[in-house]
PDB file of all heavy atoms in Angstrom:
ATOM      1  N   GLU A 321       6.886  24.498  -4.025  1.00  0.00           N
ATOM      2  CA  GLU A 321       8.211  24.757  -4.595  1.00  0.00           C
ATOM      3  C   GLU A 321       9.030  25.630  -3.659  1.00  0.00           C
ATOM      4  O   GLU A 321      10.220  25.403  -3.434  1.00  0.00           O
ATOM      5  CB  GLU A 321       8.070  25.428  -5.953  1.00  0.00           C
ATOM      6  CG  GLU A 321       9.385  25.750  -6.649  1.00  0.00           C
ATOM      7  CD  GLU A 321      10.105  24.509  -7.150  1.00  0.00           C
ATOM      8  OE1 GLU A 321       9.449  23.463  -7.305  1.00  0.00           O
ATOM      9  OE2 GLU A 321      11.324  24.589  -7.385  1.00  0.00           O
ATOM     10  N   GLY A 322       8.379  26.638  -3.065  1.00  0.00           N
ATOM     11  CA  GLY A 322       9.072  27.495  -2.111  1.00  0.00           C
ATOM     12  C   GLY A 322       9.531  26.729  -0.888  1.00  0.00           C
ATOM     13  O   GLY A 322      10.634  26.936  -0.387  1.00  0.00           O
ATOM     14  N   ALA A 323       8.677  25.787  -0.420  1.00  0.00           N
ATOM     15  CA  ALA A 323       9.048  24.976   0.740  1.00  0.00           C
ATOM     16  C   ALA A 323      10.233  24.073   0.427  1.00  0.00           C
ATOM     17  O   ALA A 323      11.146  23.905   1.239  1.00  0.00           O
ATOM     18  CB  ALA A 323       7.843  24.141   1.193  1.00  0.00           C
ATOM     19  N   VAL A 324      10.223  23.478  -0.765  1.00  0.00           N
ATOM     20  CA  VAL A 324      11.325  22.611  -1.171  1.00  0.00           C
ATOM     21  C   VAL A 324      12.617  23.412  -1.286  1.00  0.00           C
ATOM     22  O   VAL A 324      13.683  22.983  -0.831  1.00  0.00           O
ATOM     23  CB  VAL A 324      10.996  21.912  -2.507  1.00  0.00           C
ATOM     24  CG1 VAL A 324      12.249  21.252  -3.079  1.00  0.00           C
ATOM     25  CG2 VAL A 324       9.912  20.869  -2.304  1.00  0.00           C
ATOM     26  N   ASN A 325      12.540  24.603  -1.873  1.00  0.00           N
ATOM     27  CA  ASN A 325      13.735  25.441  -2.002  1.00  0.00           C
ATOM     28  C   ASN A 325      14.286  25.824  -0.634  1.00  0.00           C
ATOM     29  O   ASN A 325      15.500  25.822  -0.414  1.00  0.00           O
ATOM     30  CB  ASN A 325      13.400  26.706  -2.803  1.00  0.00           C
ATOM     31  CG  ASN A 325      13.167  26.417  -4.275  1.00  0.00           C
ATOM     32  OD1 ASN A 325      13.643  25.408  -4.799  1.00  0.00           O
ATOM     33  ND2 ASN A 325      12.439  27.282  -4.951  1.00  0.00           N
ATOM     34  N   ALA A 326      13.370  26.150   0.303  1.00  0.00           N
ATOM     35  CA  ALA A 326      13.815  26.491   1.657  1.00  0.00           C
ATOM     36  C   ALA A 326      14.474  25.296   2.317  1.00  0.00           C
ATOM     37  O   ALA A 326      15.507  25.423   2.986  1.00  0.00           O
ATOM     38  CB  ALA A 326      12.617  26.978   2.484  1.00  0.00           C
ATOM     39  N   GLY A 327      13.873  24.115   2.127  1.00  0.00           N
ATOM     40  CA  GLY A 327      14.458  22.905   2.691  1.00  0.00           C
ATOM     41  C   GLY A 327      15.848  22.630   2.146  1.00  0.00           C
ATOM     42  O   GLY A 327      16.758  22.249   2.875  1.00  0.00           O
ATOM     43  N   GLU A 328      16.013  22.824   0.841  1.00  0.00           N
ATOM     44  CA  GLU A 328      17.332  22.625   0.234  1.00  0.00           C
ATOM     45  C   GLU A 328      18.358  23.566   0.847  1.00  0.00           C
ATOM     46  O   GLU A 328      19.486  23.170   1.134  1.00  0.00           O
ATOM     47  CB  GLU A 328      17.243  22.857  -1.281  1.00  0.00           C
ATOM     48  CG  GLU A 328      16.638  21.717  -2.061  1.00  0.00           C
ATOM     49  CD  GLU A 328      16.736  21.967  -3.550  1.00  0.00           C
ATOM     50  OE1 GLU A 328      15.992  22.830  -4.049  1.00  0.00           O
ATOM     51  OE2 GLU A 328      17.568  21.321  -4.201  1.00  0.00           O
ATOM     52  N   ARG A 329      17.979  24.834   1.043  1.00  0.00           N
ATOM     53  CA  ARG A 329      18.924  25.811   1.612  1.00  0.00           C
ATOM     54  C   ARG A 329      19.322  25.430   3.027  1.00  0.00           C
ATOM     55  O   ARG A 329      20.497  25.525   3.403  1.00  0.00           O
ATOM     56  CB  ARG A 329      18.296  27.216   1.586  1.00  0.00           C
ATOM     57  CG  ARG A 329      18.190  27.828   0.197  1.00  0.00           C
ATOM     58  CD  ARG A 329      17.894  29.314   0.276  1.00  0.00           C
ATOM     59  NE  ARG A 329      16.596  29.573   0.879  1.00  0.00           N
ATOM     60  CZ  ARG A 329      15.452  29.636   0.206  1.00  0.00           C
ATOM     61  NH1 ARG A 329      15.451  29.453  -1.108  1.00  0.00           N
ATOM     62  NH2 ARG A 329      14.315  29.891   0.820  1.00  0.00           N
ATOM     63  N   ILE A 330      18.324  24.975   3.815  1.00  0.00           N
ATOM     64  CA  ILE A 330      18.625  24.598   5.202  1.00  0.00           C
ATOM     65  C   ILE A 330      19.568  23.401   5.236  1.00  0.00           C
ATOM     66  O   ILE A 330      20.580  23.401   5.945  1.00  0.00           O
ATOM     67  CB  ILE A 330      17.318  24.286   5.951  1.00  0.00           C
ATOM     68  CG1 ILE A 330      16.505  25.564   6.137  1.00  0.00           C
ATOM     69  CG2 ILE A 330      17.613  23.640   7.309  1.00  0.00           C
ATOM     70  CD1 ILE A 330      15.098  25.320   6.669  1.00  0.00           C
ATOM     71  N   PHE A 331      19.257  22.352   4.447  1.00  0.00           N
ATOM     72  CA  PHE A 331      20.100  21.160   4.444  1.00  0.00           C
ATOM     73  C   PHE A 331      21.490  21.480   3.905  1.00  0.00           C
ATOM     74  O   PHE A 331      22.486  20.955   4.397  1.00  0.00           O
ATOM     75  CB  PHE A 331      19.447  20.057   3.604  1.00  0.00           C
ATOM     76  CG  PHE A 331      18.523  19.185   4.401  1.00  0.00           C
ATOM     77  CD1 PHE A 331      17.152  19.383   4.351  1.00  0.00           C
ATOM     78  CD2 PHE A 331      19.022  18.179   5.208  1.00  0.00           C
ATOM     79  CE1 PHE A 331      16.301  18.578   5.086  1.00  0.00           C
ATOM     80  CE2 PHE A 331      18.175  17.361   5.945  1.00  0.00           C
ATOM     81  CZ  PHE A 331      16.814  17.573   5.885  1.00  0.00           C
ATOM     82  N   ASN A 332      21.567  22.324   2.891  1.00  0.00           N
ATOM     83  CA  ASN A 332      22.873  22.682   2.328  1.00  0.00           C
ATOM     84  C   ASN A 332      23.715  23.420   3.355  1.00  0.00           C
ATOM     85  O   ASN A 332      24.940  23.249   3.422  1.00  0.00           O
ATOM     86  CB  ASN A 332      22.694  23.536   1.082  1.00  0.00           C
ATOM     87  CG  ASN A 332      22.219  22.728  -0.105  1.00  0.00           C
ATOM     88  OD1 ASN A 332      22.419  21.514  -0.164  1.00  0.00           O
ATOM     89  ND2 ASN A 332      21.590  23.368  -1.079  1.00  0.00           N
TER      90      ASN A 332
END
Side-chain angles (χ1 to χ4, degrees):
E321 180 71 20
V324 168
N325 289 337
E328 282 186 287
R329 288 194 296 272
I330 291 171
F331 271 100
N332 286 336

